[in-house]
Amino acid sequence: MNNSFKMVAKLIKKYNNIVIARHIGADPDALGSQLALREMIKNMYPNKKVLAVGNPSSRFKFMGTLDKCDDITEPTLLIVLDTPDIKRIDGAILDDYDYVIKIDHHPVVDDFANLSIVMEDASSTAQILLELFFANRFKITESIARLLYLGVVSDTDRFLHDYTSVKTFALVTKLLEETNIDFTSLYAPLYMRPLAEIRFQGYIYQNMEITDNGLAYIKITDDLLKEYGVDSASAGNMINDLKFVNEIITWAFFTEDKKSNLIRVNIRSRGPYINEIASKYNGGGHKYASGARLTSSIQIDDLIEDLDQAVLKYKENIEE
Ligand code: AMP
């Protein structure tokens, strides 16, 4: 067995106080992994104190509830899931902890943990946890299975993305065979959404700009969100639906977030890698799925120009 997986089991056994964190902006993979791991540890060690921390997401509250983190007064193990960089850890300060484990599938940004399990070729953090749980022969209950299934399905966009692999299917098959959960019933809570969002999606499709090179982008103001009754996070999630459009190679949404006084950027690509460009703009992510946070609208035009140039270069290279 992978030695790091064994080590995680030993550390969980050793610490009586464990905090599980993930990245800001909870999504089903981060949240599902966090809640599944909390439940797993609590089932194995009912007397340990295990907290899942970070800001809750109203959109995904059907998955479970989070804990408030008290002051850390005893030696505590921190397990950070699905988070490559320190600045995006939600609800935990590294220095408060005795030992830190990182479990992630993003390219490494900060090497912040005592023990790191980073599997860039894994489809999701939930997939890594599946592998870890099976390797250690941990008992996967039905509710843990549902959480991890939601994580994998959501991060792969229903097994669509390139990093979906034979291993993804093998682990999910094993999960379904062993727990027999009714997995199709999980899609309604995950994908059900208000009509306002569909109408807004129509607006995006009608109004996005497309450059000659094949960069599609749209600037979404707070007024527009209000007019349609859609929040900025939900608008950003619509980015995933443009993957198979002939004329679009790379695409980005720039969404005003008045509350935080910044512009959230979601970027996707099926051509050039975009994570290095995103990292120039207080962002990062995967090669084909990244995000950034801008503080001024001037930066929007700079980022559009950088992305457009990347698409152009990509097209020139494949034509050579
Ligand atoms: P999103 O478009 O928000 O779904 O994010 C796509 C990917 O980019 C995810 O893997 C995120 O972890 C990553 N990402 C999004 N925003 C940021 C950011 N501000 N800094 C670093 N990575 C980000």
Side-chain angles (χ1 to χ4, degrees):
M1 191 214 307
N2 178 326
N3 262 341
S4 305
F5 288 164
K6 236 192 246 170
M7 191 67 187
V8 172
K10 275 193 191 153
L11 288 159
I12 288 173
K13 189 170 180 191
K14 174 177 167 191
Y15 282 89
N16 286 325
N17 294 283
I18 301 171
V19 169
I20 306 167
R22 40 99 194 133
H23 59 76
I24 52 172
D27 59 32
D29 183 34
L31 204 54
S33 298
Q34 189 186 26
L35 298 174
L37 184 58
R38 180 182 64 185
E39 192 169 329
M40 176 61 79
I41 301 172
K42 280 189 165 177
N43 289 347
M44 289 194 297
Y45 303 102
N47 296 326
K48 288 185 194 278
K49 185 171 167 192
V50 192
L51 303 177
V53 301
N55 271 318
S57 147
S58 54
R59 172 90 180 75
F60 305 118
K61 67 170 182 277
F62 73 92
M63 295 178 75
T65 52
L66 293 159
D67 303 298
K68 283 229 160 64
C69 192
D70 324 324
D71 287 343
I72 310 291
T73 49
E74 292 188 45
T76 301
L77 170 66
L78 174 68
I79 306 177
V80 181
L81 300 174
D82 201 36
T83 314
D85 41 0
I86 296 169
K87 73 176 185 331
R88 299 193 77 233
I89 300 173
D90 190 358
I93 294 164
L94 295 172
D95 286 348
D96 291 346
Y97 294 88
D98 200 52
Y99 196 97
V100 180
I101 301 175
K102 175 198 211 189
I103 300 178
D104 189 23
H105 71 126
H106 294 88
V108 175
V109 178
D110 296 325
D111 193 8
F112 58 76
N114 303 91
L115 171 65
S116 285
I117 300 181
V118 176
M119 299 168 92
E120 265 190 60
D121 57 351
S123 69
S124 49
T125 297
Q127 176 179 323
I128 304 174
L129 286 192
L130 275 178
E131 197 176 346
L132 187 149
F133 289 174
F134 284 132
N136 281 301
R137 296 181 189 282
F138 290 170
K139 165 124 186 69
I140 301 183
T141 61
E142 285 188 21
S143 86
I144 291 172
R146 279 187 214 101
L147 289 165
L148 293 179
Y149 186 78
L150 283 168
V152 176
V153 163
S154 171
D155 244 36
T156 58
D157 199 4
R158 288 167 269 182
F159 306 102
L160 192 76
H161 294 319
D162 314 14
Y163 39 76
T164 307
S165 63
V166 173
K167 192 170 176 180
T168 313
F169 282 109
L171 288 164
V172 169
T173 301
K174 191 167 156 67
L175 178 78
L176 299 179
E177 279 174 352
E178 292 193 4
T179 59
N180 207 19
I181 53 166
D182 177 7
F183 60 94
T184 54
S185 69
L186 301 174
Y187 299 128
L190 184 60
Y191 293 117
M192 195 63 79
R193 54 200 183 128
L195 183 62
E197 284 188 17
I198 304 298
R199 294 208 193 284
F200 187 66
Q201 203 160 354
Y203 174 90
I204 292 176
Y205 294 167
Q206 292 290 344
N207 292 284
M208 64 193 176
E209 310 269 347
I210 304 182
T211 66
D212 292 342
N213 296 323
L215 172 73
Y217 63 91
I218 186 159
K219 300 176 191 178
I220 301 168
T221 62
D222 188 62
D223 286 344
L224 193 65
L225 292 173
K226 285 202 180 106
E227 185 188 326
Y228 277 83
V230 171
D231 63 66
S232 58
S234 306
N237 283 337
M238 295 172 195
I239 188 83
N240 292 315
D241 296 320
L242 289 165
K243 185 164 169 150
F244 299 110
V245 182
N246 284 334
E247 291 81 355
I248 302 176
I249 308 289
T250 300
W251 58 108
F253 291 0
F254 298 86
T255 311
E256 187 181 9
D257 184 343
K258 260 221 166 129
K259 247 193 261 161
S260 330
N261 198 25
L262 45 77
I263 298 152
R264 291 168 184 256
V265 192
N266 307 89
I267 317 167
R268 299 291 185 269
S269 177
R270 58 181 180 85
Y273 295 165
I274 46 177
N275 52 338
E276 282 185 11
I277 298 176
S279 67
K280 278 173 58 186
Y281 295 86
N282 196 24
H286 303 278
K287 288 170 188 160
Y288 298 116
S290 293
R293 299 286 177 268
L294 309 183
T295 46
S296 85
S297 48
I298 304 165
Q299 286 181 302
I300 297 181
D301 296 331
D302 292 344
L303 179 47
I304 289 172
E305 183 57 27
D306 281 356
L307 291 170
D308 199 38
Q309 285 305 311
V311 184
L312 176 64
K313 232 186 244 160
Y314 170 81
K315 283 172 107 176
E316 284 172 350
N317 280 340
I318 53 172
E319 274 158 21
E320 264 167 21

